[in-house]
């Protein structure tokens, strides 16, 4: 009899591409995942992982077994959904993927409220880029994703995934207090052609929005510094090294050297909750989505 936990570990390695990434997604240590795979190899008398340079790759047998594991895990999820649905209350483990600023500015209150109201629910959070989190939901690795998109770059919804809007997060231009724009109430995009920008790296949703939007006004933005964390971007602005477009969610209090200026029209990113269609009946999903929507107005106004 194959052990389901070991199959889950193999499936995670197949999805994430490495033992370390699989361990992060599962909430284990890399050593624990490696041990699960090693035990599965002994059980099946099959080599599942092979060295490839500094990393590993799955053998053909491992890919076949991982595909079967995905189907088995889907059946297990269906059984868990039905049991939880019969109980009529949120229970069991719920894995949530969330982008960085929401993990900082939104999810602590949401998770605390869920823990207070539903002690049988074991909600676990992982910080994941929105583009990746949707795929993890579709593949059955994560139960629920909190993702965001922009007006010119909507997130695609894969087949078998449902979504609902949580709310809108406004964004400001951040400038040094000595910058000429610091005395302005608002500024139009066409006025920013000569600015030196601080942005997230290429491939992120925020970077894509900045480049596509400013190109539409007729110029290529001069991005001189790249930083994934909004707090790092704020620190660079405070040092007078450029300007940045930073959402309000999770931004926190700005240092005295930094002044927010409204961009006209105001950029807005929309937050979504996404889950697999097969899990829609699960009380844990419904209650988490309800809590997200209920708490969002107060969190957005505080931001």
């Amino acid at each position: 009899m194959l052990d389901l936990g070991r199959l889950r570990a193999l499936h995670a390695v197949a999805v994430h591409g490495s033992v370390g990434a699989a361990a992060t997604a599962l909430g284990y240590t890399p050593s624990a995942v490696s041990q699960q795979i090693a035990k599965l190899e002994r059980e099946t008398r099959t080599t599942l992982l092979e060295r490839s340079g500094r990393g590993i790759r799955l053998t053909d047998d491992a890919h076949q077994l991982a595909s079967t594991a995905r189907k088995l895990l889907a059946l297990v999820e269906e059984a868990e959904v039905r049991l939880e649905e019969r109980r009529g209350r949120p229970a069991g483990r719920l894995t949530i993927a969330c982008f960085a600023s929401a993990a900082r500015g939104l999810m602590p209150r949401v998770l605390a409220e869920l823990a207070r109201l539903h002690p049988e629910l074991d909600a676990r959070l992982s910080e994941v880029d929105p583009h990746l989190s949707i795929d993890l939901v579709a593949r059955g690795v994560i139960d629920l994703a909190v993702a965001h998109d922009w007006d010119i770059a909507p997130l695609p919804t894969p087949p078998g995934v449902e979504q609902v809007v949580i709310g809108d997060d406004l964004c400001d231009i951040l400038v040094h207090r000595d910058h000429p724009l610091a005395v302005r109430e608002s500024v139009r995009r066409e006025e920013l052609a000569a600015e030196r920008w601080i942005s997230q790296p290429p491939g992120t949703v925020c970077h894509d929005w900045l480049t596509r939007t400013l190109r539409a006004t007729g110029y290529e933005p001069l991005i001189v510094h790249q930083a994934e964390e909004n707090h790092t971007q704020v620190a660079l602005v405070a040092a007078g090294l450029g300007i940045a477009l930073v959402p309000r969610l999770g931004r926190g209090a700005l240092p005295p050297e930094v002044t927010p200026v409204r961009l006209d029209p105001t950029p807005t990113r929309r937050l979504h909750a996404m889950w697999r269609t097969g899990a829609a009946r699960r009380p844990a999903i419904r209650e988490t989505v309800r809590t997200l929507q209920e708490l969002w107005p107060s969190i957005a106004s505080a931001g």
Side-chain angles (χ1 to χ4, degrees):
M1 182 69 69
L2 296 176
D3 182 89
L4 187 62
R6 293 162 194 166
L7 290 173
R8 190 186 301 274
L10 178 65
H11 176 253
V13 173
V15 169
H16 295 280
S18 72
V19 170
T24 300
L26 294 172
Y28 300 154
T29 64
S31 176
V33 173
S34 295
Q35 291 175 15
Q36 293 278 31
I37 300 296
K39 291 178 180 178
L40 187 58
E41 287 183 322
R42 290 195 294 271
E43 285 181 347
T44 59
R45 300 178 184 177
T46 304
T47 300
L48 301 175
L49 299 182
E50 294 179 338
R51 289 288 179 185
S52 178
R54 295 184 178 180
I56 56 94
R57 71 174 185 87
L58 273 68
T59 64
D60 291 342
D61 288 335
H63 280 293
Q64 182 65 38
L65 189 56
S67 176
T68 302
R70 177 179 58 80
K71 298 173 184 177
L72 289 173
L73 292 172
L75 290 173
V76 170
E77 179 184 58
E78 174 64 19
E80 291 173 342
V81 167
R82 291 189 178 186
L83 284 174
E84 188 178 327
E85 191 177 22
R86 286 177 63 85
R87 295 189 191 105
R89 60 184 184 276
R93 180 178 296 186
L94 180 74
T95 53
I96 304 172
C98 183
F99 60 96
S101 55
R104 180 170 57 249
L106 172 63
M107 294 309 300
R109 279 188 59 185
V110 171
L111 293 173
E113 181 72 359
L114 290 172
R116 183 182 69 85
L117 295 176
H118 308 289
E120 295 180 64
L121 179 62
D122 180 17
R124 302 191 177 191
L125 178 68
S126 297
E127 188 178 299
V128 181
D129 183 85
H131 286 302
L132 300 177
S133 64
I134 299 171
D135 184 59
L136 295 181
V137 169
R139 289 170 177 257
V141 179
I142 294 292
D143 297 317
L144 180 74
V146 176
H148 70 81
D149 61 11
W150 299 76
D151 51 358
I152 65 171
L155 282 173
T157 303
V161 174
E162 299 180 18
Q163 66 167 295
V164 68
V165 174
I166 299 171
D168 291 337
D169 183 25
L170 303 182
C171 307
D172 299 307
I173 295 292
L174 302 185
V175 303
H176 191 272
R177 63 185 175 189
D178 294 332
H179 193 286
L181 294 177
V183 298
R184 299 271 298 274
E185 289 187 4
S186 66
V187 60
R188 295 191 63 81
R189 298 167 187 176
E190 294 80 4
E191 301 177 72
L192 301 173
E195 297 297 334
R196 294 166 64 86
W197 285 92
I198 299 161
S199 171
Q200 289 193 345
T204 59
V205 179
C206 295
H207 181 279
D208 292 347
W209 184 92
L210 179 66
T211 54
R212 290 173 62 180
T213 300
L214 297 185
R215 284 171 184 167
T217 65
Y219 68 90
E220 184 75 17
L222 176 59
I223 298 176
V224 294
H225 302 293
Q226 299 178 14
E228 291 187 1
E229 283 292 330
N230 289 340
H231 284 184
T232 304
Q233 295 182 40
V234 172
L236 292 169
V237 173
L241 299 173
I243 71 172
L245 177 69
V246 178
R248 296 178 184 177
L249 176 63
R251 189 173 71 191
L254 295 174
E257 298 86 0
V258 176
T259 300
V261 180
R262 182 171 59 86
L263 186 58
D264 185 21
T266 301
T268 301
R269 62 178 185 175
R270 177 156 289 182
L271 275 63
H272 305 262
M274 312 182 84
W275 61 91
R276 286 181 301 285
T277 300
R281 305 188 317 275
R282 188 178 175 189
I285 296 287
R286 297 200 303 267
E287 181 63 11
T288 301
V289 171
R290 185 199 66 79
T291 304
L292 284 163
Q293 293 178 315
E294 182 180 89
L295 293 181
W296 173 253
S298 62
I299 291 172
S301 61

